[in-house]
């Protein structure tokens, strides 16, 4: 009988490198990578981030050099995140709205040094609030959705005036995509893209990131009243659907590897540009195992990144971006 063993032998197509290359269904390229970098306001060029070996906070001049390196490697975009001095944080995250804050200065500096690189910035208040939340609180500690959205719009406008290419609201407030789109358009920034953190889960995998931007020390409670419950999947489709309806150009699922089922569902349901964030804790796990000699670091890095493509992602935010780009270039 044809169509079954022994006429069919699945191993035949795997017998040699040329054949495996030919039948490969998915491919990872440098064009799939977005590189998140950490910024600080400092005379020092870089300081290491605890628990993320190989990742440093960069001052603005060093961030310009990182952007140059990214461009040379063919990485399409960088995504800077700020470590904001404690003295500048307050309950309302006021610093987020200021035209000359660290992020706005960095955006200008990076676009000046490397005009062709994409710059994608978070819109959320957590680096700027004294309590570490992505929104403002009332006196009982409840996050105030609509008041927060007003501040996020002004934060997005400050970034747009500074020349950002794409804003990425990561706060998970309701209605913020539509509000930010309207605010940007009214100010003549209709070309600024929105990459929505549409399905963002309340995750333990953000720990090292919160060290990097200094919010672990300050965060009161957790983010479960606005970020999604890891138990849910249908809810992710509702979140993504709303953000697309409100004007998101691209959507994101976050974290990455434990949520590949969500990436696949989102891509299948909407067919829009869909990104996954391989977050700080995922990077830390792979790096720690590699540095201990427990896993082959290069191999698992490339395997994990390819898995995002297989799940349907159009690209990946990853701290491995320069390392992976070098590996892809055979350097
Ligand atoms: C802030 C934000 C977080 C991350 C990206 N933007 C942390 C959080 O929501 O607490 C996490 C990224 C990572 O862990 O690499 N809104």
């Amino acid at each position: 009988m044809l169509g079954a063993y022994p006429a069919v032998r699945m191993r035949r197509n795997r017998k040699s490198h040329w054949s495996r290359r030919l039948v490969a269904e998915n491919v990872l390229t440098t064009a799939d990578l977005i590189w998140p970098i950490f910024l600080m306001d400092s005379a020092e060029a870089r300081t290491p981030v605890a628990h993320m070996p190989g990742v440093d906070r960069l001052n603005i001049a060093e961030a310009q050099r990182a952007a140059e390196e990214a461009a040379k490697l063919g990485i399409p975009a960088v995504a800077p995140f700020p470590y904001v001095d404690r003295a500048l944080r307050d309950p309302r995250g006021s610093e987020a709205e200021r035209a000359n804050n660290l992020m706005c200065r960095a955006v200008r500096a990076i676009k000046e040094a490397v005009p062709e690189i994409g710059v994608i910035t978070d819109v959320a208040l957590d680096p700027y609030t004294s309590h570490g939340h992505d929104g403002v609180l009332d006196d009982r500690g409840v996050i105030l959705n609509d008041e927060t959205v007003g501040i996020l719009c002004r934060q997005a406008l400050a970034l747009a005036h500074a020349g950002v290419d794409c804003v990425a609201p990561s706060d998970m407030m309701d209605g913020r995509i539509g509000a930010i789109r309207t605010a940007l358009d009214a100010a003549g920034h209709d070309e600024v893209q929105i990459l929505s953190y549409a399905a963002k889960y309340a995750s333990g995998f953000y720990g090292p990131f919160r060290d990097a931007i200094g919010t672990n020390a300050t965060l009161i409670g957790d983010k479960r009243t606005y970020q999604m419950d890891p138990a849910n999947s249908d809810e992710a489709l509702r979140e993504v659907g709303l953000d697309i309806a409100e004007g998101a150009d691209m959507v994101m699922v976050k974290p990455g590897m434990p949520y590949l089922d969500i990436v696949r569902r989102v891509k299948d349901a909407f067919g829009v540009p869909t990104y996954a964030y391989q977050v700080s804790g995922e990077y830390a796990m792979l790096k720690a195992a590699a540095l201990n000699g427990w896993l082959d670091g290069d191999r698992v890095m490339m395997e994990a990144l390819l898995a995002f493509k297989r799940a349907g992602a159009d690209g990946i935010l990853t701290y491995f971006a320069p390392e992976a780009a070098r590996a892809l270039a055979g350097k």
Side-chain angles (χ1 to χ4, degrees):
M1 189 183 72
L2 286 181
Y5 174 87
V8 173
R9 289 179 184 269
M10 294 300 287
R11 289 183 51 204
R12 262 198 294 266
N13 284 341
R14 300 178 197 139
K15 74 178 176 201
S16 52
H17 182 58
W18 70 261
S19 181
R20 290 191 295 270
R21 283 181 67 217
L22 205 57
V23 301
E25 298 173 41
N26 294 285
V27 56
L28 176 75
T29 77
T30 309
D32 300 317
L33 306 173
I34 298 170
W35 184 17
I37 57 176
F38 295 112
L39 300 175
M40 61 178 181
D41 219 342
S42 170
E44 240 180 306
R46 21 175 96 225
T47 60
V49 173
H51 315 138
M52 294 183 76
V55 175
D56 295 329
R57 292 184 203 88
L58 314 176
N59 72 8
I60 290 182
E62 200 67 10
Q64 287 178 306
R65 278 190 280 280
E68 279 160 16
E69 187 195 350
K72 257 189 226 121
L73 287 167
I75 296 169
V78 293
F81 293 90
Y83 177 96
V84 176
D85 292 337
R86 282 283 183 91
L88 295 173
R89 302 185 199 191
D90 67 19
R92 298 191 54 79
S94 315
E95 180 68 8
E97 299 181 39
R98 294 200 181 107
N100 226 24
N101 65 24
L102 173 60
M103 281 297 290
C104 291
R105 280 181 283 130
V107 167
R108 271 187 228 105
I110 292 171
K111 290 304 292 187
E112 203 174 276
V114 196
E116 71 273 20
I117 199 139
V119 178
I120 302 173
T121 58
D122 245 41
V123 175
L125 300 183
D126 54 319
Y128 304 97
T129 51
S130 42
H131 44 71
H133 280 290
D134 295 33
V136 293
L137 313 169
D138 71 8
D139 45 19
R140 290 172 308 143
V142 174
I143 307 278
L144 298 170
N145 191 91
D146 299 1
E147 205 171 319
T148 298
V149 170
I151 302 174
L152 295 173
C153 287
R154 295 193 290 276
Q155 180 184 20
L157 283 175
L159 292 162
H161 291 319
V164 82
D165 297 291
C166 177
V167 289
S170 72
D171 55 289
M172 290 299 278
M173 296 301 121
D174 288 317
R176 89 277 204 217
I177 300 299
I180 290 171
R181 184 72 274 158
T182 303
L184 288 172
D185 289 358
H189 292 298
D190 52 283
E191 82 293 357
V192 172
Q193 289 152 278
I194 299 180
L195 165 57
S196 168
Y197 284 70
K200 174 170 177 178
Y201 288 84
S203 170
F205 288 101
Y206 307 149
F209 173 98
R210 290 182 190 167
D211 287 333
I213 66 160
T215 58
N216 255 339
T218 50
L219 183 63
I220 299 165
D222 60 46
K223 302 191 177 183
R224 288 177 219 263
T225 69
Y226 45 107
Q227 298 180 349
M228 283 182 57
D229 183 343
N232 297 351
S233 169
D234 291 341
E235 186 187 355
L237 297 191
R238 291 188 71 197
E239 283 282 5
V240 170
L242 286 167
D243 285 3
I244 294 169
E246 289 177 31
D249 301 287
M250 307 182 269
V251 297
M252 192 201 301
V253 173
K254 177 181 171 199
M257 206 146 82
Y259 295 83
L260 292 182
D261 57 321
I262 310 297
V263 174
R264 170 49 66 196
R265 286 193 74 187
V266 166
K267 188 65 188 178
D268 285 349
F270 299 103
V272 300
T274 302
Y275 298 83
Y277 199 144
Q278 183 188 48
V279 298
S280 56
E282 299 176 62
Y283 176 87
M285 286 194 300
L286 296 179
K287 271 286 172 199
L291 289 171
N292 273 298
W294 298 341
L295 290 173
D296 175 341
D298 280 349
R299 185 165 176 189
V300 294
M301 167 179 77
M302 298 311 269
E303 183 176 336
L305 293 172
L306 180 62
F308 289 104
K309 295 298 303 282
R310 194 189 62 240
D314 294 288
I316 309 112
L317 288 95
T318 174
Y319 301 96
F320 286 116
E323 231 177 301
R326 274 191 288 273
L328 287 166
K331 282 182 219 156

